Amino acid sequence: MNLTINGEERRFSGDLDLAALVASLGLDARKVAVERNLEIVPRSAYAATHLADGDRIEIVHFIGGG
Amino acid sequence: MDGAISSEDTWTVAGRTFRSRLIVGTGKYKDYAQNAAAAEAAGAEIVTVALRRVNLSDPSKPMLVDHVKPDRFTFLPNTAGCFTGEDAVRTLRLAREAGGWDLVKLEVLSNTKHLLPDMEETLRALKMLIAEGFQVMVYCTDDPVYARKLEDAGAAAIMPAAAPIGSGLGVQNRLNLALIIEQAKVPVLVDAGVGTASDATVAMELGCDAVLMNTAIAEAQDPIRMARAMKHAVIAGREAFLAGRMPRRMYAEPSSPLSGLI
């Protein structure tokens, strides 16, 4: 299936949940927030959130700002 | 006021009480380590932070939270770069999920040249955020009329710009700031435009509850030293405000008695 993650097209095979995606990207789930198709996904729901072809995922974190 | 220093001189926003009246940004530093050292030197309890996409190509890049730690500082997520209410709400929903709290800084900009806020859109965004349960500290112009509208809409704090973001020009309109402070029942913070220590002192002497700055510290030749200077400047201005300044006079008033002259 194809996912758009932070604006980048990425291809994955098989069933994938959000917890697995975040881990496969090398990210610490405690330090990010995720939006799936413009809806916030609570951290507690990552493992239960199965991704579908065409999903648009945004993964963000805090950076320096004023 | 008995002149005892201000260990009990606190201020409260959205039910949270702070002793430091200096809020610092976390942008434009050489690295996050310098950033953390500056925030410590400033004695800050609150730091502003931005929210951006993670770097997918290099997830091992240093992260802000590893240096400026959320258990040490209250994070105040901003909406920098947002030009509409919808952008701001989307950003802060993510920030609330990332951080787990609802105290936020709203800034809705009008253009990238002067970065002054679009007040009509800011007020609309504020109402949207309040409807979603956020506690909103609002970056705004130094317009007392709009400041009142923000407060009436439920802003947790009013944060007028002293001068454009990153300009370092200091307080441009003392009268407007004084009018905003006089009418407000929520905290008023000068946010943006401070260039050096005396600018922060002027803001505090006017009666602001706190000052928020980023560039004045981050772009100083020695940011840690400037952070320390700003800490003292804010305390000096606050103490002077509480002490109550002498009246201004048109003519001289001798300090030594004129009687008994030889």
Side-chain angles (χ1 to χ4, degrees):
Chain A
M1 69 182 159
N2 288 312
L3 302 176
T4 304
I5 307 171
N6 289 359
E8 289 178 28
E9 286 273 345
R10 298 242 179 161
R11 193 166 181 78
F12 296 87
S13 54
D15 185 51
L16 185 67
D17 65 52
L18 196 47
L21 174 66
V22 169
S24 77
L25 294 170
L27 300 170
D28 182 342
R30 292 167 304 173
K31 297 176 184 171
V32 300
V34 179
E35 189 190 75
R36 178 195 184 202
N37 302 328
L38 300 177
E39 296 285 335
I40 301 285
V41 183
R43 202 167 285 133
S44 58
Y46 287 0
T49 301
H50 292 266
L51 301 172
D53 189 48
D55 276 354
R56 301 181 67 84
I57 308 293
E58 291 287 342
I59 307 176
V60 301
H61 66 149
F62 289 127
I63 65 155
Chain B
M1 208 41 58
D2 60 3
I5 197 120
S6 23
S7 57
E8 297 312 306
D9 178 35
T10 60
W11 68 288
T12 299
V13 60
R16 297 165 172 81
T17 297
F18 300 96
R19 291 171 65 168
S20 170
R21 293 174 181 271
L22 176 53
I23 298 177
V24 297
T26 56
K28 302 180 182 173
Y29 286 92
K30 183 181 64 158
D31 52 40
Y32 284 141
Q34 185 191 59
N35 192 331
E40 289 289 349
E45 294 172 302
I46 305 176
V47 297
T48 57
V49 296
L51 193 86
R52 292 292 182 272
R53 286 171 165 171
V54 297
N55 185 339
L56 294 177
S57 54
D58 184 8
S60 64
K61 266 183 70 171
M63 291 179 95
L64 173 73
V65 292
D66 295 329
H67 295 272
V68 182
K69 296 188 187 307
D71 57 3
R72 168 72 186 78
F73 299 98
T74 296
F75 275 26
L76 184 63
N78 69 26
T79 59
C82 291
F83 288 83
T84 69
E86 282 73 15
D87 289 347
V89 170
R90 185 181 175 200
T91 299
L92 292 178
R93 280 181 185 153
L94 279 162
R96 177 159 60 182
E97 176 59 25
W101 54 83
D102 50 23
L103 184 66
V104 296
K105 168 180 165 177
L106 173 64
E107 57 179 294
V108 182
L109 304 177
S110 55
N111 70 42
T112 53
K113 186 177 178 186
H114 53 57
L115 296 178
L116 288 172
D118 177 337
M119 289 311 303
E120 184 181 12
E121 193 65 14
T122 296
L123 181 58
R124 195 173 74 86
L126 172 65
K127 290 174 179 172
M128 293 163 72
L129 288 166
I130 286 171
E132 296 204 17
F134 286 97
Q135 307 273 1
V136 192
M137 301 173 72
V138 188
Y139 168 64
C140 57
T141 54
D142 59 3
D143 173 357
V145 179
Y146 250 115
R148 167 54 62 78
K149 290 185 185 192
L150 296 173
E151 187 172 348
D152 288 347
I158 307 294
M159 304 205 292
I165 293 171
S167 70
L169 293 173
V171 175
Q172 293 295 297
N173 194 332
R174 296 182 192 205
L175 175 64
N176 276 23
L177 280 183
L179 289 169
I180 290 170
I181 291 162
E182 183 187 46
Q183 75 184 7
K185 294 185 177 62
V186 295
V188 176
L189 292 79
V190 156
D191 176 2
V194 167
T196 189
S198 52
D199 299 333
T201 304
V202 166
M204 293 307 297
E205 284 172 350
L206 287 168
C208 286
D209 292 279
V211 178
L212 196 166
M213 67 181 73
N214 192 146
T215 312
I217 296 174
E219 286 191 359
Q221 299 298 306
D222 181 343
I224 310 303
R225 192 162 205 160
M226 185 59 88
R228 209 156 55 228
M230 290 299 185
K231 173 183 173 176
H232 293 302
V234 167
I235 292 170
R238 177 66 183 171
E239 288 289 288
F241 170 73
L242 292 176
R245 60 154 298 146
M246 61 163 280
R248 289 180 171 82
R249 299 188 182 96
M250 177 96 64
Y251 300 108
E253 184 86 3
S255 296
S256 307
L258 292 175
S259 60
L261 281 168
I262 54 170

